[in-house]
Amino acid sequence: MSNVIAMDGPSGAGKSSVSRIVGSKLGYLHVDSGALYRIMTWRCLEEGVDTADSSAVAAFAEKVEIECVPEGGRIMYLVGGEEPGDRIRTPEINAHASEVATVKEVRERITSILRGLVRFGDLVVEGRDITTAVFPDSPARFYLTASAEARARRRRKEEVEKGIANQSEEAVKASLLARDAIDSTRKYAPLRKADGVVEIDSSDLTLDQVVETVMGALPDGWRKA
Ligand code: DC
């Protein structure tokens, strides 16, 4: 059976960087579950599906085909044979993804895709409901958090560096908080800190310190000698 490291937390808490590094240290495939919600959102917007109409989103989501391929230490997603890349990282997608993620059928479809990835081997999976709903029985579950200010600063830096957007820190923070609110109050699989998870507040920690904390909390035998 494959080992699964599950990591949840709000946007900008550092889940992607941490899980990518932990994955590469251990030889586990990195799985970005948020990208699947972003792909669904991107396809809805492209096809003119109203993301506020949950029945329309549910019917459409069923038809979106996403191919999962292990590649370069991560699971790569292909839509129509192509990687969506930064097309799923725009402020417009940010603004609609949480809404699409409230739809039960979308969550069921993505949960089933994620669970199926264990066929490729050991995984480190990051998201909002990985520790609570997708892999709740994993013995390595983490909740990564940080202050809203720290998260907005990081997310803005990332957007500017990638040339995706150049919004003020205030605007980025407002968008993060709006998504947090939807993600943590939705009916199905809301973002919450589950019992028994290891919580790490990364506000005043370096990336290396967070990675070390995660590595140190893994079950015996999961760390390489
Ligand atoms: O991590 P991210 O910002 O790329 O996630 C995009 C959206 O998808 C976010 O608004 C919450 C949602 N999401 C979710 O509901 N469950 C997950 N496991 C991952 C992401």
Side-chain angles (χ1 to χ4, degrees):
M1 226 180 64
S2 301
N3 291 344
V4 176
I5 300 172
M7 194 174 293
D8 284 327
S11 311
K15 298 183 301 287
S16 296
S17 312
V18 173
S19 53
R20 225 174 271 136
I21 296 173
V22 168
S24 82
K25 277 179 181 280
L26 295 168
Y28 286 22
L29 290 163
H30 172 243
V31 180
D32 173 4
S33 67
L36 292 169
Y37 290 91
R38 289 173 176 274
I39 287 172
M40 289 292 183
T41 308
W42 170 58
R43 295 301 302 136
C44 283
L45 295 176
E46 291 266 296
E47 297 300 322
V49 175
D50 178 3
T51 56
D53 179 345
S54 52
S55 314
V57 171
F60 179 73
E62 222 175 275
K63 292 180 239 148
V64 176
E65 288 194 21
I66 303 172
E67 198 188 337
C68 302
V69 184
E71 164 74 34
R74 70 195 168 111
I75 295 293
M76 171 172 79
Y77 306 117
L78 301 177
V79 180
E82 253 189 69
E83 256 202 297
D86 287 341
R87 283 176 288 184
I88 60 166
R89 307 270 161 208
T90 64
E92 197 194 5
I93 305 279
N94 291 345
H96 291 87
S98 289
E99 204 167 48
V100 168
T102 63
V103 179
K104 184 168 166 263
E105 290 81 356
V106 170
R107 303 208 68 83
E108 285 171 351
R109 170 98 200 276
I110 291 178
T111 297
S112 135
I113 293 174
L114 292 169
R115 288 188 181 145
L117 296 177
V118 296
R119 70 187 182 279
F120 295 122
D122 299 328
L123 310 173
V124 48
V125 189
E126 50 145 325
R128 302 291 192 293
D129 67 339
I130 310 304
T131 61
T132 57
V134 183
F135 293 109
D137 299 327
S138 160
R141 295 182 304 148
F142 297 88
Y143 189 82
L144 195 54
T145 178
S147 68
E149 289 70 30
R151 295 191 287 122
R153 215 176 310 123
R154 290 176 191 155
R155 195 36 67 86
R156 176 173 192 279
K157 185 165 173 268
E158 197 178 283
E159 287 182 359
V160 171
E161 280 174 4
K162 284 190 174 170
I164 294 171
N166 193 353
Q167 314 174 86
S168 70
E169 206 168 292
E170 272 313 301
V172 176
K173 183 174 155 190
S175 148
L176 285 184
L177 292 176
R179 290 162 62 201
D180 286 357
I182 301 177
D183 293 343
S184 26
T185 57
R186 67 180 176 227
K187 187 169 169 193
Y188 304 106
L191 170 67
R192 65 179 176 86
K193 185 168 92 61
D195 288 341
V197 300
V198 176
E199 180 172 8
I200 306 170
D201 183 334
S202 71
S203 308
D204 299 315
L205 297 179
T206 63
L207 185 54
D208 280 353
Q209 287 172 319
V210 181
V211 169
E212 281 317 304
T213 309
V214 170
M215 297 292 288
L218 295 176
D220 290 343
W222 287 28
R223 264 160 288 160
K224 285 194 181 146

